[in-house]
């Protein structure tokens, strides 16, 4: 089982460029999430999805977009990258909240620097 | 909104016991998680409490009091490899059948010889 796979692991972007962070899971989880983690600030929820075709904003959605065309994939799109988006990005997945006994499974993260 | 507080840093000695506290204020509470995160790595699941009381898993135990909005993670027989950040996270009902997980800022634990 691969679990949650994120690509790329590292990326340097110039201000104004765009990119897509990829996330795929093979556990048949309905729920998927994107978090960002800044030093000393904990993880902040960007967007989440409760199933294919359904997405919703989290705490810090500005500057990002998502789509969920399949159960397995949940890409995060950055348009017009800004230095404030320099962060470590984690994708996670889980069964429904009624079945969270084993928690959320996180990908290994993408370290993004915008210069 | 959701508010979660935990100490920023703690230091403990190898072989000792340490307790990391977490207080929270939230609506639609649906359980509390503890995660371990080593530097440069992803968080990994440690425990989940949805009812009051103590859950024990080997050297790690987690306690929850919903009426007090309080939880703690207890680590026994500390080992050097336990040096990591410990994240308290609350699962809550955000409405229309959706749930979110909100994290505290984490407690960085340093285990010294």
């Amino acid at each position: 089982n691969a679990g949650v796979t994120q690509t790329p692991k590292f990326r340097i972007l110039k201000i104004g460029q765009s990119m897509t962070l990829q996330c795929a899971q093979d556990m048949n989880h309905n729920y998927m999430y994107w978090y960002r983690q800044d030093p000393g600030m904990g993880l902040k929820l960007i967007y989440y999805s409760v199933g294919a075709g359904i997405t919703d904003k989290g705490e810090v959605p500005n500057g990002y977009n998502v789509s969920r065309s399949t159960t397995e994939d949940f890409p995060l799109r950055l348009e017009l990258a800004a230095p404030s988006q320099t962060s470590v990005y984690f994708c996670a997945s889980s069964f429904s909240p009624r079945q969270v006994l084993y928690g959320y499974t996180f990908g290994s993260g993408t370290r993004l620097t915008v210069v | 909104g959701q508010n979660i507080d935990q100490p920023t840093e703690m230091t403990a000695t190898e072989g000792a016991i340490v307790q990391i506290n977490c207080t929270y204020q939230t609506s639609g509470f649906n359980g509390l998680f503890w995660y371990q995160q080593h530097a440069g790595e992803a968080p990994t699941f440690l425990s989940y409490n949805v009812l009051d009381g103590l859950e024990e898993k080997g050297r790690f135990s987690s306690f929850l009091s919903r009426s007090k909005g309080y939880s703690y993670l207890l680590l026994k027989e500390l080992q050097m490899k336990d040096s990591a950040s410990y994240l308290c996270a609350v699962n809550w009902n955000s409405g229309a059948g959706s749930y979110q997980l909100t994290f505290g800022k984490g407690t960085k634990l340093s285990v010294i010889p």
Side-chain angles (χ1 to χ4, degrees):
Chain A
N1 255 355
V4 178
T5 303
Q6 283 185 242
T7 56
K9 292 193 183 301
F10 302 93
R11 183 73 185 269
I12 298 175
L13 274 184
K14 293 185 178 179
I15 294 171
Q17 286 185 320
S18 301
M19 77 165 293
T20 299
L21 282 67
Q22 301 292 344
C23 176
Q25 53 92 9
D26 62 357
M27 297 171 286
N28 205 29
H29 285 167
N30 291 326
Y31 281 61
M32 295 187 75
Y33 317 84
W34 275 105
Y35 286 88
R36 60 176 286 174
Q37 186 175 33
D38 301 318
M41 294 302 293
L43 288 97
K44 301 288 187 184
L45 182 64
I46 305 171
Y47 271 95
Y48 66 102
S49 169
V50 302
I54 307 170
T55 62
D56 208 347
K57 295 177 181 179
E59 189 179 357
V60 290
N62 291 345
Y64 307 95
N65 278 300
V66 293
S67 60
R68 184 96 181 270
S69 57
T70 66
T71 300
E72 294 77 20
D73 300 297
F74 190 41
L76 178 72
R77 179 82 177 162
L78 279 72
E79 305 281 2
L80 299 174
S84 61
Q85 293 177 304
T86 294
S87 188
V88 180
Y89 292 84
F90 288 103
C91 178
S93 70
S94 72
F95 288 114
S96 75
R98 296 296 180 192
Q99 298 170 287
V100 289
L101 292 179
Y102 300 102
Y104 290 32
T105 301
F106 283 84
S108 57
T110 296
R111 191 173 297 272
L112 175 68
T113 302
V114 181
V115 296
Chain B
Q2 319 301 315
N3 191 38
I4 302 172
D5 287 313
Q6 50 182 131
T8 304
E9 294 186 47
M10 298 182 72
T11 301
T13 305
E14 191 177 13
I17 300 173
V18 70
Q19 178 174 313
I20 303 174
N21 296 324
C22 172
T23 58
Y24 64 90
Q25 293 154 344
T26 187
S27 54
F29 178 80
N30 189 51
L32 187 142
F33 289 89
W34 283 96
Y35 282 86
Q36 181 189 60
Q37 186 177 27
H38 284 101
E41 297 182 9
T44 55
F45 170 77
L46 286 178
S47 67
Y48 174 62
N49 295 69
V50 64
L51 299 176
D52 292 350
L54 187 68
E55 296 277 345
E56 297 187 78
K57 275 188 186 180
R59 295 190 298 115
F60 291 34
S61 303
S62 57
F63 172 83
L64 176 67
S65 169
R66 289 173 295 170
S67 62
K68 295 182 179 178
Y70 169 68
S71 174
Y72 68 73
L73 179 70
L74 193 70
L75 291 76
K76 303 175 187 176
E77 300 170 15
L78 279 173
Q79 302 175 9
M80 299 300 290
K81 67 178 182 180
D82 297 329
S83 292
S85 288
Y86 292 86
L87 313 179
C88 172
V90 172
N91 194 27
W92 55 281
N93 187 339
S94 54
S98 292
Y99 291 78
Q100 294 187 28
L101 193 63
T102 298
F103 285 81
K105 294 181 180 180
T107 298
K108 184 178 180 181
L109 174 66
S110 298
V111 180
I112 58 176

